[in-house]
Amino acid sequence: MKNRLPEKLTALRKNFKFSQADIARQMNVPVNEYMHWENGSAVCRIDQLKQLADFYHVPMVELLDNRREVTMPDPEIMYASVEIPFAKKNDEQKARDESVEIMPVSGLLEEAEIDLMPVAGVVSEAAPEEKTRKVTTGTIEMNTLEFESTITNRIVDDRQPEAEQPSSEDGGGKNRNLLIILACLLLAAAGIFGIMKMRNKTPADPEEINKLGSVNRLALADTCSLYIDDDGRLNTLGTVPPLDDYDGVVQISAFDGHLLGLKKDGTVVTNSGLKLDEWEGITMIAAGKTHAAGLKEDGTVVCEGSEAGCDVADWTDVQAVYAGRDLTIGLAGDGSLLISGSVSAEEQLKTVNSAVDLAVNESQIAVVTKDGRVTCYAIGTGSPFNTAAWTGVEKVALGSDFAVGLSGGKVLTATTNEDLIEAVKNWNGIRMLAGRGRTLVAVNAAGKVIGCGDNTWAVYPETEETADPENDKEEKLAAVQNVKFNVATGNLSISWDKVPNADFYEITVSTSPVTKLKSAKNSTSISTSKLEDGAEYSVTITACSNNTKKYQNSDAVNVVYTFNAATEQLEAVSGLSADATDDGWHLEWNAVKNAAWYRVRVGDIEKKAETNEIDIAGSELTDGMAYNISVSACPKDGDKKYTESAPSTMQKTFAYRTYTVTVHFTGAQSDTFTLNLRKGTYTYKDQFTAKVQEGNQLAAPDGSFTVSSDLEINGVAVEVISTPEPTPTPTATPTPTATPEVTETPGETTEPEPTAEGEGHE
């Protein structure tokens, strides 16, 4: 059974429409402490629980007993203000409170150390060693998470008869007995809450989701500067507003007179009238002119105070948040910017895709990109500062007449203010910057606040000691030299010469987000997954000493490095073979790890194979010709990690695949022979005629067969060619020679013409 007190307190508060701040004021505790009562990470004392029961007009047992539901009173019975005296209980409520059911808890340790919280007039005067008591609970059963049956304890009159009571001379027995009874009751109640907390495994201390980092450590307001030092102390200079709630803050943000503080538990405090009591799980804050923005653990943003600047409900994957006058800017995980508010350069800002930090003031926005460069954009109609010459910038700050960038501990300036330019020339080892109006403040390597410009409100000390931080150290460490880079497949190694008296080195690489490293050796490494091939990065290295009283950090050395990813040649192809097919050649080989495709060359033919095999059409080849064949493994297009392998080669003569055809003649011949033929359809006449002996012939020369595999053909008939009978020549009958008819003409005599045998007649 879980501890139901938190849900009961929440339900009661909402029933009466009170805020958490209202109840915290009534109970005289900080808001975040009361919030922990409602979320179950802390439990109030028994006297505070009684105070709450009285305030809400509910029996205390209903709050204490997890099995009971709390009775919701009518809100109309409450007074108009929470600043009223408690209403008196009726007799029934008093009687119910005097019978409190105490539940032993199963599934827990039998003994728990309980640190008693003093209650006025009861244990406040107990000796220190008596304030911690060992409480033994009821029956424990380790294999269950349910409560045992209820044991009822009642407050009873435990006095003995008068004759048996010790006298006042015995040390005040009556008072001691009463004290013991009350102390026992408190012990039992405290034990219940302590055990319930242990059962739910909820720590008593608030969860610390934030730790002291480099973000929002220095802020400049209109009348003061604020700096959280390395020990977590909040240091202030100038005229400072009340900061009672700012103890233990790990971030501080300011805009004019508006201050915000972020605590370790993710809650936010402010000196404004903004209602931030409900904010939880905040990891970064930004103070605007009249509004506040908070970045949550899940990458979303909450905002309060400006309708124009707080249109952030749909923002996701936000890594950092910044604010100005009615303006909120979110830095997304991909380096782009989200904007709520009016900015004349909004379209330009939307094109930014590699931002790592920025600064905002009344008139400008300065954006630092992962290459260490800075671009300023106008919010209104003014001209932005020219920062085009800056390189290696890690942080930036803005004033009304200047922009300054932090690069390797030095301050870069973009301003016409000659006094400011001259003042920052000797600044070294600078860690943080903040600007406002015509004032610039910084924190140097010694952890001291220095500044220049308008100091009407004494926001920085005007002493020579802080004006030149080099005087804060007896000796400055030598700057790092001989920086080298070595690229491996998975890491970029960075090394440099060892600096005498340096105990460690601080390294920053302008990735997105910026990578910050600390190394006790004169080398470090960064995963190549954070780097983009061909991109330039600013690498800054500072030598540091643990003996800060004797040695000052070295000047930061900044090196611009172009990253070229290390390449690895793919393994050569193995097992290359080329086999004839019905239609050409089939090439195959063993797959190569990390290869995306293969380059195949057959003579002058080049092909791209997506897998470890490919077919080459016979129409592209010449039967009987020898070819040089090569195959190389290739990486994915655009992959800079691997290069093409060396080619694997072979030489082979091309021939189509053939099948064995076995033929059996019958008849005039009984021969058996084989042919090697390609896949196809053939006729007997074309393939078998050459095997027929002289004097024979195929009986069915127009027969055909199809080859698609080895084939056996039986019974191919062969016959003898028969000689036909000669046709008799008929005897010639002589044809009588006709005597020519002679016609005589009177007076003429006709002579006969000579015959073939001779001339004339006999």
Side-chain angles (χ1 to χ4, degrees), residues 50 53-54 58-60 87-94 97:
K50 184 175 184 300
D54 288 343
V58 297
M60 182 174 169
K88 293 183 179 180
K89 290 188 175 184
N90 57 37
D91 293 339
E92 181 182 356
Q93 288 173 325
K94 289 180 180 178
D97 279 355

Side-chain angles (χ1 to χ4, degrees), residues 300-538:
T300 60
V301 176
V302 291
C303 192
E304 183 72 27
S306 168
E307 184 175 351
C310 287
D311 186 13
V312 299
D314 59 347
W315 288 7
T316 58
D317 189 32
V318 178
Q319 306 295 310
V321 65
Y322 308 86
R325 179 189 290 271
D326 295 325
L327 174 65
T328 302
I329 301 177
L331 173 56
D334 60 0
S336 62
L337 301 177
L338 306 170
I339 301 170
S340 176
S342 177
V343 179
S344 60
E346 181 173 357
E347 292 304 315
Q348 294 172 274
L349 287 166
K350 286 182 177 179
T351 65
V352 175
N353 58 14
S354 60
V356 294
D357 193 28
L358 60 89
V360 184
N361 70 356
E362 295 272 4
S363 60
Q364 297 197 34
I365 301 166
V367 179
V368 184
T369 49
K370 69 178 182 180
D371 59 1
R373 297 189 177 276
V374 176
T375 305
C376 292
Y377 302 87
I379 293 177
T381 58
S383 298
F385 296 116
N386 183 2
T387 58
W390 292 3
T391 60
V393 178
E394 307 151 28
K395 293 287 183 181
V396 67
L398 293 170
S400 59
D401 65 344
F402 65 83
V404 291
L406 181 58
S407 176
K410 300 289 290 184
V411 178
L412 307 178
T413 59
T415 182
T416 57
N417 186 334
E418 295 295 333
D419 291 338
L420 184 143
I421 295 172
E422 188 65 28
V424 302
K425 277 184 178 179
N426 295 324
W427 287 11
N428 292 292
I430 301 303
R431 299 167 55 195
M432 304 171 196
L433 293 170
R436 181 188 177 277
R438 296 176 61 84
T439 305
L440 171 66
V441 294
V443 175
N444 64 17
K448 294 184 178 181
V449 176
I450 60 176
C452 61
D454 183 6
N455 200 22
T456 303
W457 295 95
V459 296
Y460 62 87
E462 295 195 43
T463 64
E464 293 184 2
E465 180 184 7
T466 56
D468 185 0
E470 289 186 302
N471 294 329
D472 292 336
K473 306 295 180 183
E474 293 184 6
E475 181 182 348
K476 179 189 288 188
L477 294 175
V480 166
Q481 293 183 357
N482 198 23
V483 180
K484 296 180 180 179
F485 300 89
N486 183 40
V487 182
T489 302
N491 289 284
L492 169 65
S493 298
I494 309 171
S495 62
W496 53 90
D497 291 345
K498 188 174 181 180
V499 175
N501 301 311
D503 295 308
F504 63 93
Y505 303 86
E506 292 179 343
I507 307 99
T508 62
V509 183
S510 61
T511 54
S512 179
V514 173
T515 299
K516 295 186 177 182
L517 306 167
K518 185 175 180 180
S519 175
K521 301 184 297 182
N522 57 319
S523 63
T524 188
S525 64
I526 179 173
S527 172
T528 54
S529 63
K530 296 183 178 181
L531 306 173
E532 182 179 345
D533 189 46
E536 283 191 354
Y537 294 92
S538 175

Side-chain angles (χ1 to χ4, degrees), residues 70-194:
V70 67
T71 303
M72 290 294 167
D74 186 345
E76 293 183 0
I77 71 170
M78 297 296 290
Y79 294 91
S81 170
V82 295
E83 303 291 339
I84 49 93
F86 291 144
K88 293 183 179 180
K89 290 188 175 184
N90 57 37
D91 293 339
E92 181 182 356
Q93 288 173 325
K94 289 180 180 178
R96 291 170 67 183
D97 279 355
E98 288 177 354
S99 177
V100 180
E101 295 189 347
I102 309 298
M103 296 172 290
V105 183
S106 57
L108 300 173
L109 299 174
E110 294 194 16
E111 295 185 347
E113 293 288 341
I114 305 299
D115 189 3
L116 289 182
M117 300 180 183
V119 181
V122 180
V123 296
S124 59
E125 297 181 2
E129 61 273 14
E130 294 176 342
K131 293 184 180 180
T132 300
R133 307 287 177 87
K134 182 172 287 187
V135 177
T136 302
T137 66
T139 303
I140 303 298
E141 191 173 330
M142 297 301 291
N143 61 350
T144 177
L145 293 179
E146 296 299 323
F147 287 106
E148 297 273 350
S149 57
T150 301
I151 299 173
T152 303
N153 292 339
R154 295 182 182 275
I155 301 176
V156 296
D157 189 348
D158 195 37
R159 292 176 296 174
Q160 300 174 4
E162 245 178 54
E164 297 178 9
Q165 290 185 35
S167 64
S168 59
E169 285 87 357
D170 293 334
K174 290 182 180 180
N175 290 335
R176 281 198 302 271
N177 287 341
L178 180 58
L179 180 62
I180 290 170
I181 293 171
L182 292 174
C184 289
L185 176 61
L186 290 170
L187 281 166
I192 293 167
F193 286 114

